[in-house]
Amino acid sequence: MSEHILITGGAGFIGSRLARRFADDGHTVTVLDSLISQVHGEDPDNDSPLLRSLDGVATVIRGTVTSTDDLRRALVDATVIVHLAAETGTGQSMYEIDRYVAANVGGTAKLLDLLANEPHTVRRIVIASSRSIYGEGAYRTDDGRVVFPAHRSDAHMASGDFSVHHPGEKNLTVIPTDEDAKLHPSSVYGITKQMQESLVMTVAPTIGIEGVALRYQNVYGPGQSLKNPYTGILSIFSTLIRQGKAINIFEDGLESRDFVYIDDVVEATFLGATHPAAGGNTFNVGSGVATSVNAVVGGLFAAFGLDVPTHISGNYRLGDIRHNVADTSRLKEILGFEPETPFEVGVQRFVDWVKNEPEEGDSYQKSLDEMAARNLLK
Protein backbone atom coordinates (compact mmCIF):
# COMPACT_ATOMS: atom_id res chain seq x y z
CA MET A 1 0.00 0.00 0.00
CA SER A 2 1.32 3.42 -0.95
CA GLU A 3 1.79 5.74 2.02
CA HIS A 4 2.24 9.47 2.39
CA ILE A 5 5.31 9.75 4.60
CA LEU A 6 6.15 12.85 6.64
CA ILE A 7 9.77 12.92 7.78
CA THR A 8 10.52 15.63 10.32
CA GLY A 9 14.19 16.56 10.14
CA GLY A 10 14.08 14.86 6.78
CA ALA A 11 16.83 16.92 5.12
CA GLY A 12 19.43 15.58 7.55
CA PHE A 13 21.92 12.74 7.33
CA ILE A 14 19.44 9.93 7.97
CA GLY A 15 16.29 11.63 6.73
CA SER A 16 17.52 12.51 3.26
CA ARG A 17 18.53 8.91 2.54
CA LEU A 18 15.35 7.59 4.09
CA ALA A 19 13.26 9.90 1.89
CA ARG A 20 14.81 8.37 -1.21
CA ARG A 21 14.21 4.85 0.14
CA PHE A 22 10.51 5.60 0.55
CA ALA A 23 10.25 7.33 -2.83
CA ASP A 24 11.98 4.43 -4.58
CA ASP A 25 9.33 2.14 -3.07
CA GLY A 26 6.54 4.26 -4.53
CA HIS A 27 5.55 6.30 -1.49
CA THR A 28 4.87 10.05 -1.42
CA VAL A 29 7.29 11.92 0.82
CA THR A 30 7.06 15.28 2.59
CA VAL A 31 10.01 16.66 4.54
CA LEU A 32 9.82 19.24 7.30
CA ASP A 33 13.24 20.67 8.20
CA SER A 34 14.55 23.88 9.73
CA LEU A 35 17.83 23.57 7.76
CA ILE A 36 20.02 24.79 10.61
CA SER A 37 23.38 26.25 9.63
CA GLN A 38 25.28 23.93 11.96
CA VAL A 39 24.39 21.11 9.56
CA HIS A 40 23.43 22.74 6.26
CA GLY A 41 25.60 25.87 6.13
CA GLU A 42 24.55 29.51 5.99
CA ASP A 43 22.97 29.18 2.53
CA PRO A 44 21.34 25.72 2.43
CA ASP A 45 20.01 26.10 -1.11
CA ASN A 46 23.60 26.32 -2.35
CA ASP A 47 25.63 24.84 0.51
CA SER A 48 23.73 21.69 1.44
CA PRO A 49 24.15 18.55 -0.71
CA LEU A 50 21.70 16.81 1.61
CA LEU A 51 18.99 19.32 0.72
CA ARG A 52 19.80 19.10 -2.99
CA SER A 53 19.53 15.31 -2.82
CA LEU A 54 15.82 15.71 -2.11
CA ASP A 55 15.12 17.36 -5.48
CA GLY A 56 12.51 15.24 -7.23
CA VAL A 57 12.29 12.95 -4.19
CA ALA A 58 10.25 14.87 -1.63
CA THR A 59 8.26 18.02 -1.07
CA VAL A 60 10.38 20.10 1.30
CA ILE A 61 8.78 22.46 3.80
CA ARG A 62 11.22 24.77 5.51
CA GLY A 63 9.96 25.00 9.04
CA THR A 64 10.34 23.77 12.58
CA VAL A 65 8.63 21.27 14.84
CA THR A 66 8.42 24.02 17.47
CA SER A 67 5.88 25.82 15.26
CA THR A 68 2.30 24.56 15.31
CA ASP A 69 1.61 26.23 11.96
CA ASP A 70 4.58 24.53 10.29
CA LEU A 71 3.55 21.16 11.69
CA ARG A 72 -0.03 21.66 10.56
CA ARG A 73 1.12 22.36 6.98
CA ALA A 74 3.41 19.34 6.96
CA LEU A 75 0.76 16.93 8.27
CA VAL A 76 -1.63 17.40 5.36
CA ASP A 77 -2.47 13.92 3.97
CA ALA A 78 0.32 12.22 5.95
CA THR A 79 -0.36 8.58 6.87
CA VAL A 80 3.00 7.75 8.48
CA ILE A 81 5.32 10.08 10.40
CA VAL A 82 9.00 9.42 10.94
CA HIS A 83 9.98 11.88 13.66
CA LEU A 84 13.71 12.51 13.27
CA ALA A 85 13.80 16.22 14.07
CA ALA A 86 15.95 16.84 17.12
CA GLU A 87 18.92 18.74 18.41
CA THR A 88 21.76 16.23 18.67
CA GLY A 89 25.04 16.05 20.54
CA THR A 90 25.64 14.92 24.10
CA GLY A 91 28.25 17.53 25.01
CA GLN A 92 26.45 20.58 23.65
CA SER A 93 23.22 19.51 25.34
CA MET A 94 24.81 20.00 28.75
CA TYR A 95 24.96 23.78 28.33
CA GLU A 96 22.32 24.57 25.68
CA ILE A 97 19.65 23.00 27.81
CA ASP A 98 16.71 25.20 26.89
CA ARG A 99 17.30 24.76 23.15
CA TYR A 100 17.52 20.97 23.40
CA VAL A 101 14.43 20.66 25.57
CA ALA A 102 12.42 23.11 23.44
CA ALA A 103 13.18 21.31 20.18
CA ASN A 104 13.20 17.69 21.29
CA VAL A 105 10.55 17.62 24.00
CA GLY A 106 8.55 20.70 23.04
CA GLY A 107 8.49 19.83 19.34
CA THR A 108 7.31 16.29 20.04
CA ALA A 109 4.64 17.59 22.41
CA LYS A 110 3.35 20.02 19.76
CA LEU A 111 3.20 17.25 17.17
CA LEU A 112 1.24 14.94 19.46
CA ASP A 113 -1.02 17.76 20.60
CA LEU A 114 -2.04 18.43 17.01
CA LEU A 115 -2.69 14.75 16.38
CA ALA A 116 -4.76 14.49 19.54
CA ASN A 117 -6.90 17.55 18.87
CA GLU A 118 -7.26 18.05 15.12
CA PRO A 119 -8.42 15.83 12.22
CA HIS A 120 -5.60 13.90 10.52
CA THR A 121 -4.89 10.79 8.45
CA VAL A 122 -1.88 9.47 10.42
CA ARG A 123 -1.94 5.79 11.37
CA ARG A 124 1.67 5.26 12.54
CA ILE A 125 4.43 7.39 14.04
CA VAL A 126 8.04 6.25 14.26
CA ILE A 127 10.15 8.06 16.85
CA ALA A 128 13.91 8.19 16.42
CA SER A 129 15.08 7.45 19.93
CA SER A 130 18.67 6.89 21.04
CA ARG A 131 21.05 4.53 22.83
CA SER A 132 21.76 7.50 25.12
CA ILE A 133 18.61 6.74 27.12
CA TYR A 134 20.30 3.65 28.61
CA GLY A 135 23.07 5.59 30.32
CA GLU A 136 25.79 3.05 31.05
CA GLY A 137 23.70 0.11 29.86
CA ALA A 138 23.99 -3.51 30.94
CA TYR A 139 26.89 -5.26 32.70
CA ARG A 140 27.36 -8.76 34.09
CA THR A 141 28.81 -9.45 37.52
CA ASP A 142 31.26 -12.26 38.37
CA ASP A 143 28.37 -14.41 39.60
CA GLY A 144 26.29 -13.90 36.45
CA ARG A 145 23.81 -11.24 37.52
CA VAL A 146 22.91 -8.37 35.16
CA VAL A 147 23.24 -4.90 36.68
CA PHE A 148 22.83 -1.35 35.41
CA PRO A 149 25.55 0.79 36.99
CA ALA A 150 25.15 4.44 37.86
CA HIS A 151 26.97 7.18 35.98
CA ARG A 152 30.71 7.44 36.45
CA SER A 153 31.83 10.02 38.97
CA ASP A 154 33.99 13.04 38.29
CA ALA A 155 36.22 12.00 41.19
CA HIS A 156 36.96 8.56 39.76
CA MET A 157 37.68 9.87 36.28
CA ALA A 158 39.86 12.69 37.59
CA SER A 159 42.06 10.01 39.18
CA GLY A 160 42.39 8.18 35.85
CA ASP A 161 39.85 5.49 36.72
CA PHE A 162 37.47 5.40 33.75
CA SER A 163 35.88 2.05 34.58
CA VAL A 164 32.23 1.58 35.48
CA HIS A 165 31.58 0.68 39.13
CA HIS A 166 28.65 -0.89 40.96
CA PRO A 167 28.27 -1.23 44.75
CA GLY A 168 29.58 -4.52 46.08
CA GLU A 169 31.03 -5.66 42.76
CA LYS A 170 34.73 -5.93 42.01
CA ASN A 171 34.53 -6.85 38.32
CA LEU A 172 31.95 -5.93 35.70
CA THR A 173 31.79 -7.12 32.09
CA VAL A 174 29.87 -5.09 29.53
CA ILE A 175 27.16 -7.07 27.70
CA PRO A 176 24.71 -6.14 24.92
CA THR A 177 21.89 -3.97 26.24
CA ASP A 178 18.38 -5.06 25.26
CA GLU A 179 15.23 -2.99 25.01
CA ASP A 180 14.00 -4.01 28.49
CA ALA A 181 17.06 -2.52 30.21
CA LYS A 182 16.89 0.20 32.80
CA LEU A 183 16.63 3.69 31.35
CA HIS A 184 18.83 6.22 33.16
CA PRO A 185 20.35 8.73 30.75
CA SER A 186 23.48 10.60 31.80
CA SER A 187 23.08 13.73 29.63
CA VAL A 188 20.46 16.34 28.82
CA TYR A 189 20.35 14.97 25.28
CA GLY A 190 19.61 11.48 26.62
CA ILE A 191 16.90 12.81 28.92
CA THR A 192 15.18 14.58 26.01
CA LYS A 193 15.33 11.44 23.85
CA GLN A 194 13.79 9.38 26.63
CA MET A 195 11.01 11.96 26.97
CA GLN A 196 10.42 12.00 23.20
CA GLU A 197 10.09 8.23 23.15
CA SER A 198 7.89 8.11 26.23
CA LEU A 199 5.57 10.79 24.88
CA VAL A 200 5.07 9.03 21.56
CA MET A 201 4.70 5.52 22.94
CA THR A 202 2.27 6.71 25.64
CA VAL A 203 0.10 9.12 23.66
CA ALA A 204 -0.03 7.44 20.23
CA PRO A 205 -2.07 4.35 21.21
CA THR A 206 -4.59 6.49 23.11
CA ILE A 207 -5.45 8.38 19.92
CA GLY A 208 -5.55 5.37 17.59
CA ILE A 209 -2.03 5.67 16.17
CA GLU A 210 0.59 2.92 16.17
CA GLY A 211 3.81 3.99 17.84
CA VAL A 212 7.23 2.57 16.96
CA ALA A 213 10.43 3.51 18.79
CA LEU A 214 13.85 3.01 17.20
CA ARG A 215 16.81 3.38 19.54
CA TYR A 216 19.61 4.33 17.19
CA GLN A 217 23.16 3.56 18.23
CA ASN A 218 26.09 5.58 16.76
CA VAL A 219 25.10 6.14 13.13
CA TYR A 220 27.87 6.88 10.62
CA GLY A 221 28.55 6.87 6.90
CA PRO A 222 28.71 9.01 3.76
CA GLY A 223 26.62 12.15 4.08
CA GLN A 224 27.06 12.79 7.77
CA SER A 225 27.89 16.34 8.68
CA LEU A 226 31.54 17.33 8.47
CA LYS A 227 30.63 20.81 9.72
CA ASN A 228 29.05 19.90 13.03
CA PRO A 229 31.71 19.40 15.74
CA TYR A 230 29.22 18.18 18.31
CA THR A 231 28.33 14.82 16.80
CA GLY A 232 30.32 12.00 15.25
CA ILE A 233 33.93 11.19 16.12
CA LEU A 234 34.48 9.74 12.65
CA SER A 235 33.79 13.15 11.11
CA ILE A 236 35.90 14.94 13.72
CA PHE A 237 38.87 12.61 13.41
CA SER A 238 38.65 12.57 9.61
CA THR A 239 38.91 16.36 9.48
CA LEU A 240 41.97 16.27 11.75
CA ILE A 241 43.61 13.56 9.62
CA ARG A 242 43.04 15.52 6.42
CA GLN A 243 44.57 18.61 8.03
CA GLY A 244 47.54 16.67 9.37
CA LYS A 245 46.65 17.60 12.94
CA ALA A 246 47.17 15.41 15.99
CA ILE A 247 44.25 13.49 17.47
CA ASN A 248 43.56 13.84 21.18
CA ILE A 249 42.02 10.57 22.35
CA PHE A 250 39.94 11.03 25.49
CA GLU A 251 40.09 8.78 28.54
CA ASP A 252 42.32 5.77 27.71
CA GLY A 253 40.97 5.09 24.22
CA LEU A 254 39.31 1.87 25.36
CA GLU A 255 35.84 3.39 25.64
CA SER A 256 33.60 1.82 23.00
CA ARG A 257 30.46 2.43 20.98
CA ASP A 258 28.17 0.47 18.69
CA PHE A 259 28.75 2.01 15.24
CA VAL A 260 25.97 1.24 12.77
CA TYR A 261 26.21 2.08 9.08
CA ILE A 262 23.74 4.51 7.52
CA ASP A 263 22.32 2.04 4.98
CA ASP A 264 21.44 -0.39 7.77
CA VAL A 265 19.76 2.39 9.75
CA VAL A 266 17.73 3.49 6.74
CA GLU A 267 16.49 -0.05 6.08
CA ALA A 268 15.59 -0.63 9.72
CA THR A 269 13.69 2.66 9.79
CA PHE A 270 11.90 1.84 6.54
CA LEU A 271 10.74 -1.43 8.09
CA GLY A 272 9.75 0.35 11.29
CA ALA A 273 7.47 2.58 9.21
CA THR A 274 6.02 -0.06 6.89
CA HIS A 275 6.24 -3.55 8.41
CA PRO A 276 2.85 -4.66 9.84
CA ALA A 277 4.47 -6.26 12.90
CA ALA A 278 6.41 -3.15 13.92
CA GLY A 279 3.49 -1.29 15.49
CA GLY A 280 3.68 -0.88 19.26
CA ASN A 281 7.28 -2.13 19.46
CA THR A 282 10.63 -0.69 20.50
CA PHE A 283 13.80 -1.74 18.67
CA ASN A 284 17.51 -1.23 19.12
CA VAL A 285 19.09 -0.28 15.79
CA GLY A 286 22.78 -1.08 15.95
CA SER A 287 25.44 -3.42 14.68
CA GLY A 288 25.61 -5.45 17.87
CA VAL A 289 29.39 -4.95 17.92
CA ALA A 290 31.36 -2.71 20.27
CA THR A 291 34.26 -0.78 18.69
CA SER A 292 36.76 1.13 20.84
CA VAL A 293 37.90 4.66 20.08
CA ASN A 294 41.42 3.32 19.55
CA ALA A 295 40.01 0.91 16.94
CA VAL A 296 38.15 3.78 15.25
CA VAL A 297 41.39 5.73 14.90
CA GLY A 298 43.17 2.66 13.55
CA GLY A 299 40.34 2.02 11.08
CA LEU A 300 40.47 5.59 9.81
CA PHE A 301 44.26 5.47 9.41
CA ALA A 302 43.94 2.25 7.39
CA ALA A 303 41.14 3.65 5.22
CA PHE A 304 42.99 6.92 4.51
CA GLY A 305 46.29 5.14 4.02
CA LEU A 306 48.01 7.63 6.32
CA ASP A 307 48.15 8.61 9.94
CA VAL A 308 48.77 11.58 12.22
CA PRO A 309 50.18 11.78 15.76
CA THR A 310 47.81 10.59 18.47
CA HIS A 311 47.80 11.40 22.16
CA ILE A 312 45.85 9.43 24.75
CA SER A 313 45.33 12.35 27.09
CA GLY A 314 43.07 11.17 29.88
CA ASN A 315 40.74 14.10 29.16
CA TYR A 316 37.08 13.28 29.73
CA ARG A 317 33.65 14.82 29.30
CA LEU A 318 31.02 14.78 32.00
CA GLY A 319 27.92 13.00 30.71
CA ASP A 320 29.81 10.54 28.48
CA ILE A 321 29.27 6.83 28.99
CA ARG A 322 32.06 4.23 29.01
CA HIS A 323 30.74 1.49 26.74
CA ASN A 324 27.80 0.82 24.50
CA VAL A 325 26.71 -2.23 22.51
CA ALA A 326 23.16 -3.11 21.50
CA ASP A 327 21.28 -6.38 21.64
CA THR A 328 19.62 -6.39 18.20
CA SER A 329 17.84 -9.74 18.47
CA ARG A 330 14.36 -8.17 18.61
CA LEU A 331 14.96 -6.40 15.31
CA LYS A 332 15.72 -9.76 13.71
CA GLU A 333 12.95 -11.71 15.42
CA ILE A 334 10.10 -9.31 14.63
CA LEU A 335 11.19 -7.47 11.48
CA GLY A 336 13.51 -10.13 10.04
CA PHE A 337 16.34 -7.65 9.65
CA GLU A 338 19.99 -7.80 10.64
CA PRO A 339 22.44 -4.94 10.02
CA GLU A 340 24.99 -6.31 7.57
CA THR A 341 27.79 -3.74 7.18
CA PRO A 342 30.95 -4.50 9.21
CA PHE A 343 32.76 -1.48 10.60
CA GLU A 344 35.86 -1.99 8.46
CA VAL A 345 33.69 -1.95 5.32
CA GLY A 346 31.59 1.00 6.41
CA VAL A 347 34.56 3.11 7.48
CA GLN A 348 36.24 2.59 4.10
CA ARG A 349 33.08 3.73 2.31
CA PHE A 350 32.91 6.73 4.63
CA VAL A 351 36.53 7.71 4.01
CA ASP A 352 36.17 7.26 0.23
CA TRP A 353 33.32 9.77 0.40
CA VAL A 354 35.19 12.17 2.70
CA LYS A 355 38.13 12.35 0.30
CA ASN A 356 35.87 13.96 -2.32
CA GLU A 357 34.24 16.46 0.03
CA PRO A 358 35.44 20.04 0.61
CA GLU A 359 37.76 20.27 3.58
CA GLU A 360 35.89 21.90 6.44
CA GLY A 361 37.36 24.37 8.91
CA ASP A 362 38.31 22.89 12.24
CA SER A 363 35.52 23.99 14.59
CA TYR A 364 36.17 21.04 16.90
CA GLN A 365 38.57 22.95 19.13
CA LYS A 366 36.01 25.71 19.60
CA SER A 367 33.48 23.14 20.81
CA LEU A 368 36.02 21.75 23.29
CA ASP A 369 36.80 25.25 24.54
CA GLU A 370 33.08 25.86 25.11
CA MET A 371 32.83 22.72 27.23
CA ALA A 372 36.02 23.42 29.15
CA ALA A 373 34.82 26.93 29.97
CA ARG A 374 31.78 25.37 31.63
CA ASN A 375 33.83 22.76 33.51
CA LEU A 376 32.30 19.92 31.47
CA LEU A 377 35.58 18.90 29.84
CA LYS A 378 38.36 17.91 32.21
Side-chain angles (χ1 to χ4, degrees), residues 108-292:
T108 303
K110 284 185 183 295
L111 173 61
L112 292 170
D113 195 82
L114 275 176
L115 295 173
N117 292 290
E118 297 187 6
H120 62 80
T121 51
V122 176
R123 65 172 190 83
R124 178 176 288 186
I125 178 169
V126 180
I127 177 63
S129 187
S130 167
R131 57 90 184 160
S132 64
I133 70 176
Y134 293 123
E136 286 293 348
Y139 285 75
R140 194 177 302 282
T141 65
D142 282 341
D143 61 1
R145 290 174 295 112
V146 176
V147 296
F148 302 96
H151 316 316
R152 295 178 295 166
S153 72
D154 190 1
H156 277 144
M157 291 192 287
S159 71
D161 178 6
F162 302 113
S163 299
V164 172
H165 297 282
H166 192 70
E169 304 299 331
K170 184 176 181 181
N171 299 307
L172 294 173
T173 302
V174 65
I175 60 173
T177 300
D178 67 22
E179 292 88 349
D180 296 322
K182 178 181 178 179
L183 306 182
H184 59 146
S186 60
S187 66
V188 172
Y189 172 68
I191 291 168
T192 66
K193 297 307 287 185
Q194 181 182 359
M195 293 182 71
Q196 279 189 303
E197 179 183 315
S198 296
L199 283 167
V200 168
M201 300 304 283
T202 299
V203 173
T206 71
I207 56 176
I209 296 175
E210 294 178 328
V212 180
L214 302 179
R215 294 174 180 168
Y216 293 152
Q217 309 301 302
N218 289 68
V219 186
Y220 75 99
Q224 72 183 89
S225 177
L226 299 176
K227 299 181 176 71
N228 187 347
Y230 301 100
T231 57
I233 64 169
L234 275 83
S235 291
I236 293 166
F237 289 170
S238 293
T239 296
L240 295 173
I241 292 169
R242 295 177 83 190
Q243 295 175 347
K245 295 182 178 179
I247 294 175
N248 176 11
I249 298 175
F250 287 179
E251 300 187 18
D252 55 8
L254 300 179
E255 62 274 23
S256 64
R257 298 292 184 268
D258 185 330
F259 292 94
V260 58
Y261 190 65
I262 180 63
D263 290 355
D264 292 325
V265 172
V266 165
E267 192 60 27
T269 308
F270 177 84
L271 292 171
T274 61
H275 197 295
N281 281 298
T282 299
F283 301 95
N284 284 331
V285 180
S287 68
V289 177
T291 303
S292 72

Side-chain angles (χ1 to χ4, degrees), residues 41-171:
E42 297 298 331
D43 181 10
D45 291 325
N46 295 307
D47 295 344
S48 177
L50 294 176
L51 178 60
R52 291 196 299 272
S53 74
L54 293 173
D55 291 347
V57 172
T59 299
V60 178
I61 297 173
R62 185 165 186 167
T64 172
V65 292
T66 60
S67 163
T68 300
D69 289 341
D70 291 345
L71 283 168
R72 190 178 283 118
R73 282 192 299 138
L75 280 167
V76 173
D77 295 330
T79 57
V80 175
I81 301 169
V82 180
H83 186 34
L84 299 176
E87 298 290 351
T88 60
T90 298
Q92 191 180 38
S93 78
M94 300 297 284
Y95 57 90
E96 296 203 17
I97 300 161
D98 182 63
R99 181 162 72 93
Y100 273 71
V101 173
N104 298 1
V105 181
T108 303
K110 284 185 183 295
L111 173 61
L112 292 170
D113 195 82
L114 275 176
L115 295 173
N117 292 290
E118 297 187 6
H120 62 80
T121 51
V122 176
R123 65 172 190 83
R124 178 176 288 186
I125 178 169
V126 180
I127 177 63
S129 187
S130 167
R131 57 90 184 160
S132 64
I133 70 176
Y134 293 123
E136 286 293 348
Y139 285 75
R140 194 177 302 282
T141 65
D142 282 341
D143 61 1
R145 290 174 295 112
V146 176
V147 296
F148 302 96
H151 316 316
R152 295 178 295 166
S153 72
D154 190 1
H156 277 144
M157 291 192 287
S159 71
D161 178 6
F162 302 113
S163 299
V164 172
H165 297 282
H166 192 70
E169 304 299 331
K170 184 176 181 181
N171 299 307

